[in-house]
Amino acid sequence: MSLHRAAVDRHSWATPVLLVLLVAIPIFEVWLLIQVGQHIGGLWLLLILVGEAALGGWLMRHEGARAWKALNEAFGTGHMPTGELADAALILIGGVLLMLPGFATDVIGFVFLLPFTRPAARRALAFFVARRIQRMGLPVATTGRGDVIEGETVDDPVPPGPRPTDRRIITGEVEDPR
């Protein structure tokens, strides 16, 4: 059995759960809106929903601009912008959730959008992604652990003229200092 097939068999429950959530969440949102509307009135409910959508749009624009600036700075300094990309994705998802009418999705949207709650959401997202990758049997990158192999790179001048292929071939030897 291939690795992909084993992963599909182990996670065959994911599709039915997703379908149930796609039906259950809107039903819950409508029920919650009716309950709140009965207690505070339809006009107040409408004003709150419009206010949340406007606040969500403003937050998404403001935080999105900050995330874009951080992403550009990361590219400018030459480091991998993993945190910045995760923030951008969370801001986009949070903004969409705030634009949808409903209170439960608004809470999740605010958690993704607010700068003081987003780091916790990013850590939770990273945890679930790493766990999913491990379940698929793929290696998960870690920081600061494992063997460190010291070495150096030596640049050889590239001879002028066309290359036979578009691929770059690296030749050399690997020495083990042990």
Side-chain angles (χ1 to χ4, degrees):
M1 181 181 289
S2 71
L3 178 65
H4 176 71
R5 183 71 191 149
V8 170
D9 288 344
R10 279 195 311 255
H11 299 291
S12 61
W13 56 268
T15 302
V17 168
L18 184 62
L19 289 174
V20 167
L21 287 176
L22 286 174
V23 171
I25 290 174
I27 290 171
F28 175 72
E29 288 286 13
V30 169
W31 175 83
L32 189 59
L33 287 172
I34 291 170
Q35 297 302 313
V36 171
Q38 286 177 347
H39 282 69
I40 66 171
L43 181 62
W44 284 109
L45 175 68
L46 184 62
L47 288 174
I48 289 172
L49 290 175
V50 169
E52 283 180 343
L55 179 61
W58 179 83
L59 266 174
M60 187 170 70
R61 184 175 172 195
H62 182 263
E63 292 301 316
R66 286 178 59 189
W68 184 255
K69 182 180 175 187
L71 191 62
N72 282 331
E73 287 175 4
F75 281 128
T77 59
H79 84 274
M80 182 63 77
T82 54
E84 291 84 358
L85 286 173
D87 277 353
L90 288 172
I91 289 167
L92 178 65
I93 294 168
V96 168
L97 289 174
L98 277 170
M99 298 294 170
L100 295 173
F103 293 118
T105 53
D106 288 346
V107 170
I108 298 168
F110 278 122
V111 169
F112 287 178
L113 270 176
L114 294 174
F116 53 87
T117 56
R118 193 176 329 117
R122 187 181 339 115
R123 283 190 297 274
L125 177 67
F127 171 77
F128 286 114
V129 168
R131 198 166 136 198
R132 172 89 172 154
I133 289 171
Q134 283 177 336
R135 284 185 179 164
M136 290 175 62
L138 301 172
V140 177
T142 59
T143 57
R145 298 182 193 117
D147 292 335
V148 176
I149 301 172
E150 294 182 24
E152 63 183 72
T153 60
V154 179
D155 291 330
D156 288 332
V158 178
R163 293 185 181 181
T165 63
D166 289 340
R167 295 185 297 168
R168 184 173 180 166
I169 300 172
I170 300 173
T171 59
E173 298 177 20
V174 176
E175 297 179 16
D176 187 0
R178 292 183 226 170

